[in-house]
Amino acid sequence: KARGWPSRAKPKSAKVLSGMPLPLTLGEILPLHSIFPSGRSTRASLIVLALPPSTKIGKLAPMYRRLGSALGEFLESQAFGAAVIVSADLAQTHWANTTFGANPNAKDFDCACGRWATTLDDGIFSVQESVVDSIKSSGWLGLPFLHGALATTAGGSQWHGALLSKPCAPTYYGMMVATFDRDDRMF
């Protein structure tokens, strides 16, 4: 067992609204492990949205922005605070010796994700939509989803993004860590 690895790293199941089991993958388990370290209890409610794999991710971005907007409208209408955490692999084509091979656009794609996180300029997505499928970013749809939620919950305020870890590719796929805050809220 790797040091710091979640003790329940094997995919488990969660119940969805219909009551049918939904398998959780490491994409959901690792962020949840970071929020709820073992030995710490919480009374928080969770909604896990697993993005389905698709070979036409770029074409789905507008729909995911609308889905994020719907979530934002729901959260804005509630009396409780909420945190939205998006786990999204960036380009998965940084290394040549993987199933996908290398793509020269991978680094620029990841850097554009970082620019979006600091500027919240959704025009960046228009450029990315044309290359996202070729650079194999399986989790990128989480960013348009989050953008929709942020835009809907802005009210009269501005959201501000900050990179805690700039886009980088320590393995074959890119990753970054960003936070978004508005006045006294963290999102």
Side-chain angles (χ1 to χ4, degrees):
K1 178 174 160 180
R3 185 173 180 205
W5 191 255
S7 59
R8 293 183 299 224
K10 283 180 28 183
K12 300 286 184 183
S13 288
K15 295 290 183 184
V16 293
L17 293 178
S18 67
M20 298 296 294
L22 174 70
L24 296 179
T25 65
L26 290 178
E28 294 89 26
I29 291 173
L30 291 177
L32 292 174
H33 176 73
S34 299
I35 301 167
F36 306 115
S38 57
R40 186 173 158 215
S41 65
T42 182
R43 295 183 63 177
S45 296
L46 297 175
I47 299 173
V48 176
L49 175 66
L51 302 176
S54 174
T55 57
K56 304 292 182 201
I57 290 173
K59 293 183 182 212
L60 296 174
M63 180 182 71
Y64 274 81
R65 274 183 249 177
R66 289 190 303 272
L67 183 60
S69 293
L71 176 66
E73 288 173 10
F74 169 76
L75 293 175
E76 195 72 0
S77 72
Q78 302 303 305
F80 57 83
V84 175
I85 299 169
V86 174
S87 176
D89 293 354
L90 303 181
Q92 295 187 19
T93 53
H94 285 277
W95 290 3
N97 64 342
T98 64
T99 305
F100 300 129
N103 185 306
N105 295 315
K107 184 174 182 179
D108 289 342
F109 181 89
D110 287 1
C111 288
C113 290
R115 278 194 307 282
W116 168 79
T118 57
T119 65
L120 296 176
D121 175 5
D122 68 340
I124 291 170
F125 296 143
S126 299
V127 175
Q128 289 183 309
E129 288 170 11
S130 65
V131 298
V132 66
D133 294 318
S134 66
I135 56 88
K136 310 293 186 204
S137 178
S138 62
W140 175 78
L141 285 171
L143 302 184
F145 172 81
L146 181 59
H147 189 88
L150 292 173
T152 304
T153 59
S157 302
Q158 279 280 58
W159 283 102
H160 303 281
L163 286 173
L164 302 182
S165 175
K166 293 180 183 179
C168 64
T171 68
Y172 68 93
Y173 65 93
M175 55 185 77
M176 71 177 183
V177 178
T179 59
F180 303 90
D181 65 86
R182 177 187 98 184
D183 300 328
D184 62 345
R185 296 184 182 190
M186 197 74 162
F187 202 75

